[in-house]
Amino acid sequence: MISHLTLGTNNLELAIKYYDQLLKLFGAKQIAKTDQVVFYAFADSSTKFAITKPYDGHVATSGNGTMLALKAPNEQLVNEAYNLAINLGSECEGQPGPRDNGAYTAAYFRDLDGNKLVVFYRPDK
């Protein structure tokens, strides 16, 4: 079982403003905060999400091939989350639309530190 996922940031306060707004769409709330890290919890999951300034004091960097996936309950939330992310300063990595011959709908973007995220909706079969 995964306890939590962590992404690095070089500006924790700016990242908190970004993720507070984005993750609110998914029902997430801050559950712990220090001057180094903030943790979010989701209503229907035991897995947490954290953003942190690197503890080693070096610059936070995004991982090539690293991506955080947020599961949406419908296509409308995929669009809403993508539009909000772009309005908050995200870089587009793939506009909302069907993927894998229509098997699911997804939108890809990078947060303010360059971390890649996807919001997706896959209908239950």
Side-chain angles (χ1 to χ4, degrees):
M1 167 69 58
I2 295 173
S3 168
H4 61 280
L5 305 166
T6 304
L7 295 177
T9 184
N10 293 303
N11 185 328
L12 187 60
E13 290 308 313
L14 191 58
I16 289 170
K17 289 177 185 176
Y18 177 91
Y19 280 105
D20 276 358
Q21 292 179 69
L22 182 65
L23 297 179
K24 183 178 181 179
L25 297 175
F26 297 87
K29 296 181 182 177
Q30 279 191 32
I31 58 167
K33 180 182 173 187
T34 70
D35 61 349
Q36 189 78 35
V37 64
V38 63
F39 278 84
Y40 293 88
F42 298 85
D44 296 328
S45 176
S46 63
T47 303
K48 311 295 186 281
F49 171 69
I51 49 174
T52 187
K53 296 188 296 188
Y55 282 86
D56 65 7
H58 294 134
V59 174
T61 59
S62 58
N64 187 19
T66 302
M67 183 173 65
L68 175 66
L70 297 169
K71 184 177 181 183
N74 54 55
E75 289 180 7
Q76 179 181 342
L77 188 56
V78 171
N79 291 313
E80 188 177 348
Y82 172 83
N83 290 329
L84 176 60
I86 296 303
N87 287 333
L88 292 172
S90 285
E91 177 184 328
C92 174
E93 287 283 324
Q95 294 184 359
R99 303 293 195 277
D100 193 18
N101 295 315
Y104 65 101
T105 299
Y108 299 83
F109 51 90
R110 293 194 181 266
D111 72 7
L112 306 179
D113 289 287
N115 297 300
K116 191 171 184 179
L117 290 88
V118 60
V119 177
F120 74 97
Y121 167 69
R122 183 183 311 268
D124 293 331
K125 301 227 175 194

